[in-house]
């Protein structure tokens, strides 16, 4: 086949793969090249290891199906770094271990009042690791960009110091590797692996709770790195001191450097994020649509992306232009469904579990604080997380009338404002409720 012909076929395959899996479609697919298309195999060239990892994890299926549909033959697909470009080869090994998400760069991170401090400190650390803020601790609720920022620091550091040895992993990854090393009686190589890096990045350290042995190991790793001027970067869903069962000595170390919070983005930032995410996928949406999505979805940026994906998927399948009406229809189902998914039973389960009380107690006439508090919290959460009316909520909690539910909501709102601990507890409960698998 002539080169030109192969390239045309490949362009067709990429287009088809996009249509088959809009969720994982990215604008940089344009940069993919065909390295080989022969003998039933298609090798696709990518600019770097991060893209290779992303495509292998997310897009192998869609590209395989696309290749089969376009060529009419069985084709196996693989992705590799396009080694024609010499400079890229140097990064290869380090990034293989790093597994960075290609979208998670500083360029793709929209800065606003809610995340300015966190973003600026991450940029500073990427510029001069080990000297500015050490450790850097980023915290905030789920879906607000912590993982994105951690990856962005790694990208930036790699770019500036291409020989830097970086370890980035989830806290669970750290714990699992540690457990495996102990099982295999190989803790020495585990220690060597983690204590010899220039930058250690651990995402979601709240999962260290109740992992005593791992906390101990982490403590020594931390000290070693810190004393040698190596950079440590951590993220969590709450302040160090609010992570349950985290050892005091770890809490104190986490507070040595800079602790930066990410808040939920305001409206303007949400609009900008929707636009940025649309651009990343090569979608063009009008300001009106971006504003509509930002207006409808506010809890979490992952949901903003979900909304965009839904719209994209609808236009891909129907071939329609993205209009405001189409966005509205596409989203109504989704937004309604998200709200419908949580029911009062989920809420009651989480709350009774946390306070160790029974549902019958909540439904009873008992008025001691150990019962009224969880009862009011149930009402408050039900009001905020479901679409049930005040009457329905009262009905589930012992046939109380709507004024009682209203009073409970006002009361908990007040406490929430005045007591940071309750504030954190309510957030944690809401997190558990929204993440609970539903039947
Ligand atoms: P977290 O780790 O805090 O749960 P993630 O980093 O996984 O959140 O972010 C969820 C999604 O939202 C990701 O796709 C991320 O790219 C996106 N995101 C979060 N904040 C921003 C931002 N400020 N600009 C652009 N995208 C963002
Ligand atoms: Mg994360």
């Amino acid at each position: 086949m002539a080169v030109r012909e192969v390239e045309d076929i490949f362009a067709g395959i990429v287009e088809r793969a996009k249509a088959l899996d809009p969720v994982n479609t990215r604008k940089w697919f344009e940069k993919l090249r065909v390295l080989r298309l022969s003998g039933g195999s298609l090798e696709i060239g990518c600019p770097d290891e991060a893209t290779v990892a992303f495509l292998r994890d997310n897009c192998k299926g869609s590209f395989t199906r696309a290749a089969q549909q376009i060529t009419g033959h069985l084709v196996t697909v693989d992705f590799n770094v396009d080694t024609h470009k010499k400079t890229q080869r140097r990064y290869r090994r380090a990034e293989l271990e790093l597994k960075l998400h290609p979208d998670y760069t500083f360029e793709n991170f929209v800065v606003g009042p809610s995340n300015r401090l966190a973003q600026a400190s991450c940029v500073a650390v990427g510029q001069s690791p080990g000297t500015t803020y050490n450790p850097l601790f980023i915290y905030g609720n789920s879906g607000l960009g912590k993982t994105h920022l951690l990856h962005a620091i790694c990208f930036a550091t790699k770019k500036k110091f291409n020989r830097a040895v970086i370890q980035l992993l989830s806290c669970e990854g750290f714990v699992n590797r540690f457990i495996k090393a102990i099982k295999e009686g190989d803790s020495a190589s585990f220690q060597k692996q983690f204590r010899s890096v220039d930058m250690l990045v651990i995402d979601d350290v709240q999962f260290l709770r109740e992992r005593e042995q791992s906390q101990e190991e982490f403590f020594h790793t931390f000290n070693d790195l810190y004393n040698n001027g190596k950079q440590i970067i951590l993220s969590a869903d709450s302040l160090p001191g609010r992570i349950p069962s985290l050892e005091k000595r770890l809490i104190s170390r986490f507070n040595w450097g800079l602790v930066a919070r990410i808040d939920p983005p305001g409206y303007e930032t949400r609009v900008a994020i929707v636009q940025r995410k649309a651009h990343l996928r090569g979608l063009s949406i009008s300001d009106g649509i971006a504003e509509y999505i930002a207006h409808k979805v506010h809890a979490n940026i992952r949901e903003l992306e979900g909304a965009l994906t839904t719209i994209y998927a609808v236009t891909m399948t129907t071939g329609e232009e993205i209009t405001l009406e189409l966005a509205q229809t596409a989203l109504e189902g989704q937004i309604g469904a998200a709200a419908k998914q949580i029911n009062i039973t989920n809420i009651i389960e989480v709350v009774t579990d946390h306070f160790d009380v029974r549902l019958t107690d909540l439904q009873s006439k008992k008025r001691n604080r150990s019962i009224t508090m969880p009862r009011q919290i149930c009402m408050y959460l039900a009001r905020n997380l479901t679409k049930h009316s005040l009457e329905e909520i009262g009905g589930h909690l012992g046939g109380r009338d709507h004024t009682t539910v209203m009073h409970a909501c006002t009361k908990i709102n007040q406490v929430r404002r005045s007591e940071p601990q309750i504030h954190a507890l309510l957030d944690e409960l809401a997190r558990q409720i929204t993440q609970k698998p539903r039947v």
Side-chain angles (χ1 to χ4, degrees):
M1 249 186 296
V3 175
R4 190 59 207 274
E5 203 180 330
V6 171
E7 280 172 358
D8 285 348
I9 295 174
F10 180 64
I13 295 175
V14 174
E15 278 315 304
R16 181 64 60 87
K18 286 183 181 171
L20 288 172
D21 185 8
V23 176
N24 289 308
T25 293
R26 294 295 181 272
K27 193 154 187 270
W28 48 255
F29 280 11
E30 290 158 14
K31 292 191 195 147
L32 299 176
R33 289 179 3 118
V34 54
L35 297 179
R36 190 163 69 98
L37 176 60
S38 61
S41 96
L42 167 63
E43 193 187 350
I44 300 175
C46 314
D48 51 44
E49 277 297 340
T51 16
V52 170
F54 177 87
L55 290 164
R56 285 199 182 142
D57 288 350
N58 302 294
C59 307
K60 198 153 184 164
S62 53
F63 273 84
T64 306
R65 270 190 294 147
Q68 291 177 355
Q69 289 174 10
I70 297 288
T71 62
H73 301 291
L74 282 176
V75 179
T76 55
V77 173
D78 197 17
F79 305 94
N80 284 305
V81 172
D82 187 351
T83 43
H84 287 99
K85 294 181 186 165
K86 255 197 189 141
T87 45
Q88 288 164 347
R89 218 182 284 158
R90 273 189 306 173
Y91 294 108
R92 193 167 180 169
R93 258 195 53 128
E95 283 187 6
L96 236 183
E97 292 154 21
L98 258 176
K99 273 216 157 193
L100 298 176
H101 191 304
D103 292 352
Y104 293 177
T105 59
F106 284 130
E107 292 74 41
N108 290 335
F109 191 84
V110 175
V111 185
S114 59
N115 58 30
R116 182 163 283 123
L117 173 66
Q119 188 265 359
S121 34
C122 289
V123 171
V125 165
Q127 285 297 315
S128 48
T131 53
T132 18
Y133 308 116
N134 204 12
L136 173 63
F137 189 101
I138 305 287
Y139 76 98
N141 282 344
S142 168
L144 297 184
K146 300 182 293 295
T147 300
H148 187 139
L149 281 175
L150 299 192
H151 284 226
I153 300 180
C154 296
F155 271 121
T157 308
K158 269 278 154 216
K159 199 163 165 194
K160 192 156 177 197
F161 310 94
N162 65 42
R163 298 164 73 117
V165 182
I166 303 179
Q167 268 283 1
L168 161 94
L169 70 177
S170 67
C171 183
E172 281 154 317
F174 181 85
V175 170
N176 291 341
R177 282 214 220 168
F178 178 58
I179 293 172
K180 187 162 166 263
I182 291 180
K183 264 200 199 135
E184 292 170 357
D186 195 15
S187 43
S189 72
F190 175 88
Q191 285 177 359
K192 202 166 147 221
Q193 187 182 12
F194 284 95
R195 296 187 195 180
S196 60
V197 301
D198 299 309
M199 184 184 257
L200 178 64
V201 189
I202 307 230
D203 204 358
D204 289 321
V205 285
Q206 71 271 12
F207 291 114
L208 269 183
R209 64 184 164 211
E210 284 143 28
R211 293 282 188 181
E212 275 168 35
Q213 253 194 317
S214 303
Q215 289 196 23
E216 168 88 28
E217 179 59 34
F218 187 62
F219 176 75
H220 295 299
T221 308
F222 185 106
N223 287 345
D224 246 49
L225 293 175
Y226 185 86
N227 293 335
N228 288 313
K230 307 297 188 186
Q231 180 70 44
I232 301 153
I233 303 161
L234 308 161
S235 85
D237 63 356
S238 56
L239 275 171
R242 294 240 178 89
I243 301 175
S245 323
L246 189 66
E247 287 181 20
K248 286 225 166 56
R249 56 184 183 167
L250 275 179
I251 298 177
S252 99
R253 271 162 182 75
F254 290 176
N255 280 315
W256 276 354
L258 181 79
V259 176
R261 187 173 78 196
I262 309 191
D263 286 315
Y267 175 71
E268 285 77 12
T269 312
R270 294 203 300 277
V271 174
I273 291 174
V274 172
Q275 279 159 340
R276 187 73 53 95
K277 291 284 174 189
H279 180 73
L280 263 180
R281 288 166 189 211
L283 264 180
S284 79
I285 56 170
S286 68
D287 289 351
I289 294 172
E291 284 160 14
Y292 168 73
I293 300 177
H295 181 70
K296 279 280 192 192
V297 186
H298 20 88
N300 167 324
I301 297 164
R302 215 169 276 133
E303 283 172 24
L304 280 182
E305 283 197 272
L308 206 53
T309 303
T310 310
I311 294 174
Y312 190 21
V314 171
T315 59
M316 281 305 240
T317 40
T318 62
E320 283 176 49
E321 284 271 307
I322 308 180
T323 59
L324 188 56
E325 289 71 40
L326 180 109
Q328 283 166 344
T329 335
L331 286 195
E332 258 154 30
Q334 197 203 358
I335 291 164
K340 253 184 259 149
Q341 271 175 5
I342 298 171
N343 59 41
I344 298 194
T345 320
N346 299 137
I347 295 176
I348 293 177
E349 267 170 25
V350 169
V351 174
T352 48
D353 231 45
H354 177 85
F355 289 96
D356 200 24
V357 294
R358 287 171 307 181
L359 172 60
T360 48
D361 288 330
L362 297 187
Q363 292 173 330
S364 74
K365 298 255 175 298
K366 288 184 191 163
R367 294 186 61 87
N368 39 329
R369 199 175 139 79
S370 65
I371 303 292
T372 50
M373 179 80 170
R375 186 188 289 139
Q376 289 180 332
I377 287 183
C378 273
M379 294 176 175
Y380 167 87
L381 290 171
R383 185 70 184 147
N384 285 297
L385 299 177
T386 72
K387 288 212 174 316
H388 289 295
S389 65
L390 296 169
E391 283 80 0
E392 287 172 316
I393 297 171
H396 274 86
L397 291 156
R400 291 174 156 82
D401 69 28
H402 75 276
T403 52
T404 313
V405 180
M406 232 157 64
H407 171 72
C409 296
T410 321
K411 172 88 192 295
I412 298 296
N413 248 328
Q414 277 167 0
V415 195
R416 182 187 184 115
R417 257 176 269 143
S418 58
E419 290 184 44
Q421 271 176 338
I422 298 286
H423 190 136
L425 171 67
L426 291 168
D427 283 352
E428 170 61 20
L429 293 173
R431 193 182 63 80
Q432 286 179 21
I433 292 160
T434 44
Q435 287 179 3
K436 214 175 162 62
R438 274 160 216 115
V439 279

